[in-house]
Amino acid sequence: MKNIVCLIIGLFICTFAFSGNITTTYDKGAFHTTKTAVINGDYTTCSRVTDRFILEFQTTPANLFTWAFKGLGQTHQGDGTDDVVLVMNSFRYNPDSAKSVVNVDFRMSNGLTIRDKDLMSYVHDNTYGDSLRIIIVDFYYSGSLLKKADGVFTLKRLNDKQTEITIDTNIRFGWFFNIFITQRRYRNVMEWRIDKFIDNLQEEAESNWKLSE
């Protein structure tokens, strides 16, 4: 199975700003990361790309590594970006409930592996007229690794040729990961992947928009 690297962990009283316009804040054990980008493409095209992402996320997540998650796997660079790795063992999706369950192993740079943990996700897709779409992905896990995680993905029409895309991720670790996931480790493992994920979506949408002109 293809390795999935912490895309769901995915996601400070002091604030960090990095390349692009991505920011992360940390407060009382919770990480909040936000990135916004303006896509040179119309709202309809961007919404279709979003449809594809949701469909593959729910049904065939490994396919996302060919475009939306391109370049987000293990880096093998020894720079801390692979300090936490999720290896997908199995995946199942219930279309009636719109819930997905992935069974994973957590591999950490200290040599510890936590095996056979089920992570469930649920997608709420809300459209407001023809110019705003808000998708909320909730993740659920019962145990010491993760208390709560969610991602809010927003598409907003700016004009006939531009669309704003924003992602907000919130994660609160359980006591075990609170020990291991420092603020620096979060930046090394997660933040650049969130940044690159939005870049990938922007690239795909702009490419599709050019083909449609």
Side-chain angles (χ1 to χ4, degrees):
M1 286 284 188
K2 185 179 286 290
N3 285 350
I4 297 181
V5 184
C6 272
L7 287 171
I8 61 174
I9 293 189
L11 290 151
F12 299 84
I13 302 288
C14 147
T15 299
F16 299 86
F18 295 88
S19 61
N21 51 352
I22 187 168
T23 61
T24 294
T25 60
Y26 175 81
D27 185 21
K28 298 178 181 178
F31 291 89
H32 174 73
T33 299
T34 300
K35 175 165 181 174
T36 298
V38 175
I39 298 173
N40 292 317
D42 69 351
Y43 177 83
T44 299
T45 299
C46 294
S47 196
R48 287 173 180 164
V49 170
T50 303
D51 288 340
R52 178 187 172 190
F53 172 76
I54 292 174
L55 177 63
E56 293 185 6
F57 177 81
Q58 291 181 314
T59 60
T60 53
N63 290 353
L64 294 172
F65 283 87
T66 65
W67 64 287
F69 292 166
K70 182 175 61 178
L72 302 185
Q74 286 180 273
T75 66
H76 303 288
Q77 293 178 356
D79 59 357
T81 54
D82 293 341
D83 276 0
V84 183
V85 174
L86 272 69
V87 180
M88 184 169 64
N89 301 317
S90 63
F91 178 85
R92 61 186 185 273
Y93 172 64
N94 184 334
D96 294 329
S97 65
K99 292 180 180 179
S100 305
V101 179
V102 57
N103 180 270
V104 300
D105 294 343
F106 293 84
R107 295 179 182 173
M108 286 164 277
S109 57
N110 61 5
L112 179 63
T113 297
I114 302 172
R115 302 185 185 278
D116 295 322
K117 299 300 180 182
D118 284 340
L119 302 172
M120 184 173 68
S121 62
Y122 181 79
V123 176
H124 314 260
D125 190 355
N126 303 290
T127 300
Y128 304 91
D130 60 355
S131 59
L132 180 64
R133 186 174 180 183
I134 301 175
I135 299 120
I136 302 171
V137 182
D138 286 317
F139 294 98
Y140 302 94
Y141 170 78
S142 178
S144 61
L145 302 180
L146 183 67
K147 286 186 177 180
K148 185 70 173 66
D150 64 69
V152 181
F153 183 84
T154 303
L155 280 181
K156 182 170 68 175
R157 179 184 181 275
L158 298 180
N159 53 56
D160 290 343
K161 296 183 178 181
Q162 288 185 312
T163 305
E164 183 181 85
I165 182 173
T166 300
I167 188 168
D168 290 284
T169 63
N170 300 280
I171 180 165
R172 185 180 296 275
F173 295 106
W175 68 264
F176 182 86
F177 268 154
N178 264 337
I179 297 172
F180 188 76
I181 305 294
T182 62
Q183 294 173 18
R184 179 179 179 181
R185 185 162 275 145
Y186 176 90
R187 296 197 303 272
N188 288 342
V189 172
M190 277 297 298
E191 190 177 69
W192 74 269
R193 288 185 166 91
I194 295 170
D195 195 12
K196 177 63 174 173
F197 164 63
I198 293 299
D199 289 346
N200 285 344
L201 290 184
Q202 180 175 3
E203 179 182 348
E204 182 73 12
E206 290 181 346
S207 177
N208 288 358
W209 167 247
K210 288 178 182 178
L211 290 174
S212 68
E213 287 185 303

